[in-house]
Amino acid sequence: MIVFSGQNSKELAAKIVRGGFAEGKVERKTFPDGELYLRVATNVKGKECVVVASTTSNDDLVELLLLLDALNDQGAERIIAVVPYLAYARQDKAFLEGEALSAKTVVKLVSGLCDEILTFNCHFLDKEGKEKYQSVEVNNLDAFPILAKHFQEELKDPILIAPDKGSLEYAKTAAERMGCDFDNLSKTRVSSEEVEYEQKDLDVNGRDVLILDDIISTGGTIIRASEFIRKQSPSSINVGCVHGVFARGTEGLKKAVDSLVCTDTIQRPESKVSVSDQIIEELKK
Ligand code: R5P
């Protein structure tokens, strides 16, 4: 199996290669108008190939599509697209007539160029495993347990709180595995940046709170949830997320919480937990 990497997933891909795979070489450049050029510089004819590429921007997405198609053109036998963070996954329903169903478009494009898509805590799927979305099968891995394990080693008697419906099932399962208390909040999204919480009494007084979420994008969810919980006098508020999109940076978030950790589905300074072992295990199955 030969592992290729997207420009922004090099660290994660290197960890996977160290798990016992060959490294594929890609030559890249950007044309003066911003368009991407790439060339597969490893012989892949008849070989099984893996492309590790999180898609955090439109350029990342185009790069992934070009790389997958080039591997097809070069005669790769089987191609697995490991897209730890899948772009556009949150626009998975059309709320207004005429809206582009972006998640479907992206899944259609990627799946048309590979044999399997492997991702983590995909927004349009609420459980782990091989799940279908718009008739395309996606292998959805769950990184909540490794986040929970990280915090279990740091916090005494934590209570795990899911900040919304999107993370409820994953967080509940993680709390069961940790053997710790669990609760959840009811969130209403007012706009893409604003959320509101329904009043609720929580058993957090003097305790370490752990909030686990799939994605932190603007940070609005976590900042509001922390303000809400803080009023009920916890000893600390600790936050873990799978995908640290951090579209507004982390300054506001770090003021609102006592600790912030994400995985390396997107490489960030806060990526203290790696999904590499889960990917390696899945690739070796
Ligand atoms: C929503 O269902 C997700 O679980 C996240 O809570 C949400 O995407 C976070 O977005 P933001 O950081 O912009 O509030």
Side-chain angles (χ1 to χ4, degrees):
M1 216 178 247
I2 308 175
V3 175
F4 291 84
S5 164
Q7 187 81 306
N8 288 325
S9 298
K10 286 188 174 161
E11 288 184 43
L12 179 58
K15 285 183 189 157
I16 296 167
V17 167
R18 288 199 288 276
F21 301 97
E23 185 184 1
K25 299 275 178 227
V26 179
E27 289 170 12
R28 296 182 170 77
K29 64 185 176 194
T30 306
F31 289 112
D33 59 2
E35 290 183 355
L36 307 176
Y37 163 97
L38 60 84
R39 173 178 170 263
V40 172
T42 300
N43 180 7
V44 296
K45 201 164 175 48
K47 302 267 173 58
E48 209 171 349
C49 295
V50 177
V51 176
V52 182
S54 268
T55 49
T56 54
S57 67
N58 294 338
D59 275 0
D60 286 350
L61 184 58
V62 172
E63 184 197 29
L64 170 65
L65 298 175
L66 294 181
L67 190 45
L68 293 174
D69 209 18
L71 290 171
N72 279 301
D73 291 344
Q74 293 309 303
E77 165 76 20
R78 184 176 147 76
I79 305 172
I80 303 174
V82 176
V83 193
Y85 177 68
L86 186 66
Y88 292 97
R90 286 187 291 168
Q91 184 72 31
D92 60 340
K93 290 182 194 83
F95 297 95
L96 299 173
E97 200 184 333
E99 273 180 354
L101 198 46
S102 323
K104 181 189 68 154
T105 309
V106 167
V107 165
K108 230 160 95 177
L109 288 171
V110 176
S111 68
L113 296 170
C114 67
D115 299 282
E116 184 178 345
I117 303 177
L118 192 154
T119 188
F120 279 85
N121 298 96
C122 188
H123 193 76
F124 52 73
L125 302 172
D126 61 4
K127 54 179 190 288
E128 72 174 318
K130 292 187 177 170
E131 295 288 321
K132 282 214 166 157
Y133 170 72
Q134 298 280 340
S135 64
V136 176
E137 190 178 83
V138 175
N139 191 358
N140 186 39
L141 304 186
D142 181 13
F144 274 53
I146 55 167
L147 281 168
K149 187 165 177 276
H150 168 87
F151 283 103
Q152 196 160 28
E153 285 155 13
E154 314 237 317
L155 307 175
K156 273 191 208 143
D157 186 29
I159 171 164
L160 200 158
I161 296 184
D164 56 30
K165 262 211 299 216
S167 56
L168 185 65
E169 288 309 317
Y170 293 123
K172 210 176 191 174
T173 308
E176 278 163 18
R177 290 195 194 179
M178 283 172 84
C180 74
D181 289 349
F182 173 79
D183 211 333
N184 68 290
L185 301 177
S186 287
K187 175 178 104 175
T188 308
R189 186 162 280 289
V190 182
S191 71
S192 59
E193 304 214 6
E194 274 296 307
V195 301
E196 276 174 7
Y197 280 103
E198 210 173 272
Q199 192 50 46
K200 184 172 189 181
D201 289 334
L202 303 161
D203 181 19
V204 297
N205 194 332
R207 301 182 68 182
D208 291 325
V209 168
L210 171 58
I211 306 175
L212 292 184
D213 206 353
D214 54 349
I215 306 172
I216 297 181
S217 180
T218 64
T221 297
I222 293 300
I223 291 173
R224 289 290 158 270
S226 303
E227 286 169 356
F228 180 85
I229 294 168
R230 192 75 78 186
K231 288 187 191 137
Q232 302 190 32
S233 311
S235 159
S236 67
I237 300 180
N238 308 275
V239 174
C241 71
V242 179
H243 310 296
V245 173
F246 302 146
R248 302 271 178 269
T250 53
E251 210 183 300
L253 278 161
K254 285 184 176 164
K255 278 188 195 145
V257 306
D258 297 283
S259 69
L260 174 69
V261 167
C262 62
T263 76
D264 57 356
T265 59
I266 302 172
Q267 190 64 45
R268 301 289 183 210
E270 295 76 17
S271 300
K272 303 250 167 63
V273 173
S274 181
V275 294
S276 56
D277 286 348
Q278 276 174 278
I279 297 173
I280 292 167
E281 196 182 307
E282 204 59 30
L283 295 177
K284 287 188 173 171
K285 270 183 188 166

